[in-house]
């Protein structure tokens, strides 16, 4: 029998509205799952059970009164520990904020609460989201639910693991170099990087910078759309959430359910590396095998890539610029309380000149323009979401891939930051397992502003692939996790390595 916590968000929400499932029953099922398996993976790091129970009780009362119920009514949600929740410990994975309790919800949290979601707790993240390996000196490491000794990726790793294990049906995340997509790929769930500004973020120190975005995570594409519909909106707090006076630009109803698309009408590009990413041979082979099972369904499937010349150089400079804006004072004043990834980015950034920044922006702009020409003749791009299969979380970052050194601690994220640089929407869709028995994520990248198109294609592919065990969404062995030793007992669990 299916436990309530294993229901999709869409199914659970429908049952709550039909009075066939109470918000309290769903919440208690999620809490029971956390208590049963989180010791093995360390995903839900700050828990808000008492307030969640009170919120679920009120949600049930609203159903009983016959109130109009919002989109996420009664659905438990996990909130990434980079995002402020009023009255709940929010550390950003940093020892500097070990005891920090915000007084106000961040906008993304306020929007999901308004839509009826019940905040159950905070999900683990690397310090300030840096590094895509979810471990820090406050809560320790998060393990992959398919093998807790391996990385859950990041920086939304805790959210990805919590979803895969059925701790929550929906969760928040953020993405600069793939932090919504990488953990989705590693944990067998769905993560979507929207167009910058679609989900407003009032906390960015560089308001007009478009590398970092907030977004949704879920187990299925329809669940993700349901959550996204509560996140989108026009807000003056984010300069990229551009408004047109008297008209709402970002409308929840445009994203609440995936649109319809005929896969047979699509012209698709397939690339294992965007021409520059250090994709390991294993992942190249898996990508070819997986896409070989379904590439025939498209009108045209061409092995090609947009020109990404200068992507590494541009991203390295622009990423460092954002780290200077956010963390220069912390590295300068309290270097002993800042981890190696953040320090490395700030120190790198301080070495760049205004000319370097201008050149990086020129490279980014030229790449963007080439992508627009590419999408004039292609509907979407399919690529792996991550360059390599999960490796041990004790490895701070992959220093080599197939025996070749990586450029930086984030070079292994190049498949993701290709789409980041040009501002195109992208999703990671689970497509079975790789040769190591770990989840494989297929990245679908759409045209400029094509968020709805990406979601429609992903939903259609999800339906197509669900019936084949080689391509269906994988599920971790919960019995094995329940019996596993606590992850905190693992050597190197706390800190950065």
């Amino acid at each position: 029998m299916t436990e309530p916590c294993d229901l999709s968000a869409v199914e659970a929400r429908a049952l709550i509205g039909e009075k066939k499932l109470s918000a309290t029953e769903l919440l208690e099922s999620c809490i029971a799952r956390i208590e049963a398996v989180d010791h093995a993976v360390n995903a839900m790091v700050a828990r808000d059970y008492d307030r969640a129970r009170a919120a679920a009780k009120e949600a049930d009362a609203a159903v009983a009164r016959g109130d109009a119920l919002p989109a996420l009514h009664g659905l438990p949600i996990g909130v990434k520990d980079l995002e402020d929740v009023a009255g709940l410990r929010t550390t950003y994975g940093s020892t500097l904020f070990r005891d920090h309790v915000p007084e106000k919800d961040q906008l993304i949290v306020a929007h999901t609460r308004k839509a009826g979601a019940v905040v159950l707790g905070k999900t683990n993240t690397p310090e300030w989201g840096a590094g895509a390996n979810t471990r820090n000196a406050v809560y320790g490491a998060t393990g992959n639910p398919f093998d807790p000794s391996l990385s859950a990726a990041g920086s939304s790793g805790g959210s990805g693991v919590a979803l895969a294990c059925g701790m929550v049906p929906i969760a928040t995340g953020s993405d600069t170099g793939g932090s919504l997509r990488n953990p989705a790929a590693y944990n067998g769930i769905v993560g979507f990087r929207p167009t910058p500004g679609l989900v407003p973020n009032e906390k960015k120190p560089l308001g007009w910078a478009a590398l970092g975005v907030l977004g949704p995570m879920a187990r299925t594409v329809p669940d993700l759309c349901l959550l996204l519909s509560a996140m989108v909106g026009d807000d003056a707090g984010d300069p990229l959430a551009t408004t047109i006076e008297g008209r709402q630009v970002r409308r929840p109803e445009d994203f609440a359910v995936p649109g319809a698309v005929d896969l047979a009408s699509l012209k698709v590009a397939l690339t294992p590396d965007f021409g520059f990413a250090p994709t390991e041979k294993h992942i190249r082979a898996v990508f070819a095998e997986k896409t070989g099972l379904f590439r025939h369904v498209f009108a045209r499937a061409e092995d090609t890539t947009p020109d990404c010349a200068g992507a590494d150089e541009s991203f390295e400079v622009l990423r460092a610029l954002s780290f200077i804006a956010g963390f220069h004072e912390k590295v300068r004043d309290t270097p002993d309380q800042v981890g190696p990834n953040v320090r490395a980015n700030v120190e790198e950034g301080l070495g760049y000149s205004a000319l370097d920044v201008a050149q990086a922006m020129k490279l980014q702009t030229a790449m963007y323009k080439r992508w627009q020409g590419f999408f004039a003749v292609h509907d979407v791009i399919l690529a792996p979401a991550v360059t390599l299969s999960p490796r041990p979380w004790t490895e701070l970052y992959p220093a080599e891939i197939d025996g070749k050194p990586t450029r930086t601690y984030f070079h292994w994220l190049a498949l993701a930051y290709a789409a980041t640089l040009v501002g195109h929407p992208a999703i990671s869709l689970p497509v079975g397992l790789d040769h190591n028995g770990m989840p494989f994520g297929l990245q679908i990248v759409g045209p400029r502003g094509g968020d709805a198109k990406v979601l429609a294609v992903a939903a259609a592919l999800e339906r197509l692939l669900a019936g084949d065990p080689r391509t269906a969404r994988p599920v971790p062995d919960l019995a094995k996790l329940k019996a596993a030793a606590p992850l905190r007992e693992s050597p190197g669990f706390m800190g950065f390595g």
Side-chain angles (χ1 to χ4, degrees):
M1 180 178 176
T2 301
E3 296 290 334
C5 65
D6 292 319
L7 293 169
S8 74
V10 171
E11 292 170 327
R13 172 62 182 83
L15 291 172
I16 289 171
E18 295 165 2
K19 301 183 181 180
K20 295 178 181 177
L21 174 70
S22 73
T24 297
E25 289 171 331
L26 177 58
L27 176 68
E28 292 301 334
S29 180
C30 290
I31 289 174
R33 182 61 57 79
I34 293 169
E35 294 299 316
V37 304
D38 195 51
H39 69 276
V41 290
N42 191 42
M44 191 68 72
V45 288
R47 303 168 188 180
D48 207 9
Y49 291 171
D50 289 344
R51 291 198 303 172
R53 284 177 168 131
K57 184 177 179 180
E58 174 53 34
D60 290 333
V63 174
R65 289 191 301 266
D67 293 354
L69 306 181
L72 306 181
H73 190 81
L75 297 180
I77 188 169
V79 177
K80 183 176 180 178
D81 198 32
L82 293 185
E83 297 151 12
D84 290 349
V85 174
L88 181 61
R89 186 185 185 202
T90 300
T91 73
Y92 319 117
S94 168
T95 56
L96 290 168
F97 289 82
R98 183 187 299 275
D99 301 312
H100 175 57
V101 178
E103 296 181 358
K104 182 181 178 182
D105 283 341
Q106 192 166 335
L107 194 61
I108 188 175
V109 177
H111 281 177
T112 55
R113 279 200 209 266
K114 184 179 180 180
V118 175
V119 175
L120 183 47
K122 305 304 294 291
T123 59
N124 207 19
T125 181
E127 181 198 40
W128 298 109
N133 181 7
T134 299
R135 55 187 301 196
N136 59 61
V138 179
Y139 291 118
T142 293
N144 192 295
F146 292 82
D147 181 345
S149 71
L150 301 182
S151 172
S155 61
S156 310
S159 287
V161 174
L163 287 164
C165 293
M167 298 179 194
V168 286
I170 50 176
T172 70
S174 56
D175 187 302
T176 296
S179 289
L180 281 155
R181 294 163 285 163
N182 306 319
Y186 270 20
N187 297 293
I189 58 98
V190 187
F192 177 58
R193 176 190 168 88
T195 294
L198 185 65
V199 177
N201 179 6
E202 79 281 24
K203 288 192 64 180
K204 293 186 298 181
L206 298 178
W208 281 267
L211 294 189
V213 302
L214 302 174
M217 304 178 77
R219 290 193 287 266
T220 70
V221 177
D223 286 1
L224 184 140
C225 288
L226 182 67
L227 176 56
L228 178 62
S229 72
M231 293 179 168
V232 302
D234 301 345
D235 192 277
D238 184 345
L240 298 183
T242 308
T243 58
I244 298 175
E245 188 176 10
R247 194 180 90 194
Q248 185 173 4
V249 177
R250 295 157 193 82
R251 303 181 303 169
E253 59 268 27
D254 291 340
F255 302 98
V257 296
V261 66
D262 180 7
L263 295 177
S265 70
L266 298 179
K267 292 170 284 187
V268 176
L270 297 94
T271 176
D273 58 11
F274 285 105
F276 78 101
T279 310
E280 68 177 353
K281 295 175 183 177
H282 166 209
I283 293 301
R284 292 174 184 270
V286 173
F287 175 68
E289 291 168 11
K290 300 289 188 185
T291 56
L293 297 173
F294 61 85
R295 62 185 293 163
H296 64 279
V297 306
F298 302 112
R300 187 179 76 207
E302 182 182 1
D303 294 302
T304 186
T305 179
D307 184 352
C308 297
D312 285 330
E313 296 84 353
S314 176
F315 187 73
E316 287 165 16
V317 174
L318 297 179
R319 178 185 172 94
L321 191 67
S322 69
F323 271 74
I324 291 174
F327 311 112
H328 173 239
E329 290 82 2
K330 295 177 179 63
V331 171
R332 181 193 63 200
D333 299 339
T334 54
D336 57 325
Q337 295 190 62
V338 179
N341 289 338
V342 174
R343 288 201 309 270
N345 261 139
V346 169
E347 290 164 3
E348 176 189 359
L350 291 174
Y352 291 131
S353 66
L355 177 61
D356 293 323
V357 174
Q359 293 286 12
M361 289 180 172
K362 287 175 65 176
L363 288 172
Q364 180 189 29
T365 303
M367 179 176 160
Y368 165 83
K369 291 179 178 179
R370 293 193 298 268
W371 273 55
Q372 305 323 302
F374 188 85
F375 272 96
V377 292
H378 296 90
D379 291 296
V380 294
I381 302 171
L382 304 184
V386 189
T387 59
L388 44 78
S389 187
R391 303 212 303 212
W393 52 256
T394 51
E395 180 183 57
L396 183 61
Y397 66 90
E400 56 78 25
I401 297 175
D402 285 341
K404 296 181 180 179
T406 50
R407 290 171 60 100
T408 62
Y409 78 81
F410 51 84
H411 190 207
W412 66 288
L413 310 177
L415 282 167
Y417 65 67
T420 292
L421 275 169
V422 293
H424 284 221
I427 196 169
S428 178
L429 184 73
V431 181
L433 300 171
D434 66 17
H435 297 166
N436 294 336
M438 300 300 292
F440 174 78
L442 177 73
Q443 183 174 203
I444 305 167
V445 184
R448 174 179 179 266
D451 299 74
K453 186 172 191 174
V454 168
L455 295 167
V457 173
L461 276 176
E462 185 176 59
R463 291 191 297 270
L464 175 71
L465 303 178
D468 187 334
R470 296 171 295 179
T471 54
R473 180 176 71 86
V475 178
D477 186 337
L478 295 177
K480 189 174 180 180
L481 291 178
K482 290 176 182 178
L487 192 66
R488 68 175 60 90
E489 296 178 358
S490 303
F493 168 77
M494 188 64 69
F496 303 99

